[in-house]
Amino acid sequence: MKKYTSLFLRFPIALSMLGHGLVRLPKLNVFSGWMVEFMQKSYLPQPLILGFGYALPFIEIIIGLLLLTGVFQRWALYAGLVLMAILIFGSTTIENWTAIDTQLLHAAYFAGLLVLKELCGNKKAM
């Protein structure tokens, strides 16, 4: 796949991930506290939720930057899929079915890019 085509296909999901992380970073304590409060009906342990709340913005930024630059693209796509699976699992524990729609859309986008990358066969082509 041509270099610029690949970039433009990655661009929306890269900016989504990057944007999610960047807006949360300046208010990291508030965001992590909100996540614990939001997930209080979950059976997941609060320390796990709190730790994930602190890590999530950094994970989103890293995935976004990797996709934007095209560095370690395949691993970034796998990481994005794993992240979406974790978020979907968390949403199911509090029965937040509406959030799952957005998370599944992100997962589908990651999966589509991964399939395209695999179909192209040339690691440098996409």
Side-chain angles (χ1 to χ4, degrees):
M1 188 176 300
K2 295 196 187 253
K3 180 180 174 181
Y4 293 110
T5 303
S6 174
L7 172 63
F8 281 105
L9 288 174
R10 293 188 324 263
F11 204 57
I13 197 73
L15 289 181
S16 178
M17 290 289 98
L18 191 59
H20 273 85
L22 288 175
V23 299
R24 293 173 174 160
L25 203 53
K27 53 184 179 184
L28 193 54
N29 289 332
V30 173
F31 172 72
S32 299
W34 169 84
M35 186 172 270
V36 168
E37 184 179 323
F38 187 73
M39 298 288 292
Q40 69 185 5
K41 292 182 183 177
S42 172
Y43 54 80
L44 297 172
Q46 275 192 349
L48 181 66
I49 295 168
L50 184 64
F52 184 74
Y54 277 108
L56 181 58
F58 294 100
I59 295 167
E60 291 168 329
I61 289 170
I62 291 168
I63 291 171
L65 286 174
L66 290 176
L67 289 174
L68 200 56
T69 61
V71 177
F72 300 117
Q73 223 178 114
R74 180 170 284 134
W75 291 109
L77 293 170
Y78 284 131
L81 284 166
V82 169
L83 177 60
M84 289 305 121
I86 292 168
L87 291 172
I88 289 167
F89 178 72
S91 293
T92 63
T93 67
I94 59 169
E95 299 182 82
N96 186 2
W97 311 122
T98 56
I100 294 174
D101 293 342
T102 303
Q103 294 158 347
L104 283 172
L105 183 60
H106 277 75
Y109 205 108
F110 282 121
L113 287 175
L114 189 57
V115 167
L116 278 174
K117 185 154 184 63
E118 295 297 326
L119 288 176
C120 288
N122 181 352
K123 293 180 182 180
K124 293 183 181 183
M126 184 170 162

